[in-house]
Structures are given as C-alpha cells and as structure tokens.
Amino acid sequence: MNLKELYQEIILDHGKNPRNLRKTENFNKDAKGNNPLCGDNVHVYLKLNENKKVEDISFEGSGCAISMASASIMTDLVRGKEEFEVKEIVEDFLGMIKENPELKSQKLKEDEKTKLMCLSGVKQYPMRVKCATLSWHTLVSAIDNKQEEINTEN
C-alpha cells in the first residue's frame, strides 16, 4: 500500500467511524464552530485538569468526511497532552495544512504525525482546507474561553 492509499484509508476510517463523537461529561471548556459553505458544524468539549492537561476531549457535530475525520484525529491526538503542547500541535497542523510540507512538532510521535499528514492533501483544494481546520480553530477557541462561535467565513 502506498502512502496516498494509507492516507485515504485513515481519512475514510475516521470519517465513517469518528472517535470521541460524544459530549464529554463534566467538561469545563467548550466552543462551537461552523463552516457555512460546506455545512460543517462542530462543538468541541474539553475537560482540563488543574495542571491544564487534557483529561478528556470530544466533539459533536456533522459535516463532510474531511471535517469529521479531522475532528476525530484531533481528539485522539490531544488527549493526555498539556495545554501548551496542544497549542503547539495546533499551530504545527495549521502550518502544515497551509504551506509547510511536513510537521515539525516534537510533541508528536511518528504514528501521530502520520495520522495528521493524511490531511495534508487538502491543501490542493482550498475550499477543503476550511473543512479540515474547523475543529482545530474551535479547539483553540475552547482553550482560550472565547464565547463567539468560530465561523470559517469571518
């Protein structure tokens, strides 16, 4: 199996069987995001402990396969990480989706980088970049306690 096929398989798997598609019990941070062009909606729930470590993370929502796969992969990758690590990973991911050819974060294991890299192909389709990044921007909004809904058209 070549890399492109592996990437497609990961996206299809996470898109059809999203991980962490639920509402976290006793969450203490959350945010909503919307991509009106594609119809993607996401609500990210976070439970950070007193040391700002992600004890639990989940999402609810609906959207295209790219949007759902990205949210699923994101929730898998950031669970158990500290807030500063999450922000570094988000920044690295957003950079990779927009222009960087690869991920630079030292906070990710190789298998985690592979999962994230499967979304790198969306940069060839500018309209799909918003689908892939919606949940990530929404996660940052939740961490930062911003009250306004994330909208990809703003």
Side-chain angles (χ1 to χ4, degrees):
M1 177 182 299
N2 70 29
L3 207 53
K4 188 175 181 182
E5 289 171 338
L6 173 66
Y7 286 177
Q8 288 174 336
E9 195 172 293
I10 292 170
I11 289 173
L12 285 173
D13 180 37
H14 278 270
K16 288 180 180 175
N17 308 299
R19 283 36 155 210
N20 310 304
L21 183 60
R22 60 182 166 75
K23 185 175 183 177
T24 296
E25 288 187 31
N26 303 315
F27 66 91
N28 50 19
K29 293 182 180 261
D30 73 306
K32 292 181 182 179
N34 178 32
N35 177 359
L37 282 179
C38 195
D40 302 327
N41 288 292
V42 68
H43 192 158
V44 173
Y45 301 96
L46 267 175
K47 184 176 180 184
L48 293 179
N49 68 18
E50 62 279 353
N51 298 320
K52 295 190 174 188
K53 189 173 189 175
V54 179
E55 278 188 14
D56 198 9
I57 180 170
S58 64
F59 73 101
E60 292 180 323
S62 60
C64 68
I66 296 290
S67 176
M68 294 293 97
S70 186
S72 175
I73 291 168
M74 176 195 76
T75 57
D76 264 359
L77 292 183
V78 303
R79 179 177 284 107
K81 297 207 171 28
E82 293 182 36
E83 184 181 300
F84 78 94
E85 294 175 304
V86 171
K87 286 189 172 186
E88 180 183 306
I89 292 166
V90 170
E91 192 176 310
D92 197 25
F93 172 75
L94 295 175
M96 182 269 296
I97 285 291
K98 292 176 183 155
E99 71 259 352
N100 299 337
E102 58 190 55
L103 296 161
K104 296 173 175 58
S105 177
Q106 302 300 310
K107 307 295 180 204
L108 294 168
K109 298 177 196 135
E110 283 309 309
D111 64 318
E112 293 174 326
K113 286 183 181 182
T114 299
K115 277 186 186 172
L116 273 185
M117 285 301 296
C118 75
L119 294 163
S120 65
V122 301
K123 67 176 100 180
Q124 298 169 1
Y125 309 97
M127 295 299 284
R128 301 313 244 165
V129 167
K130 292 178 180 181
C131 302
T133 60
L134 177 63
S135 59
W136 296 80
H137 288 296
T138 306
L139 170 60
V140 172
S141 182
I143 289 171
D144 293 342
N145 277 326
K146 293 188 178 162
Q147 298 304 307
E148 69 275 2
E149 180 175 277
I150 295 295
N151 187 317
T152 58
E153 297 311 301
N154 293 344

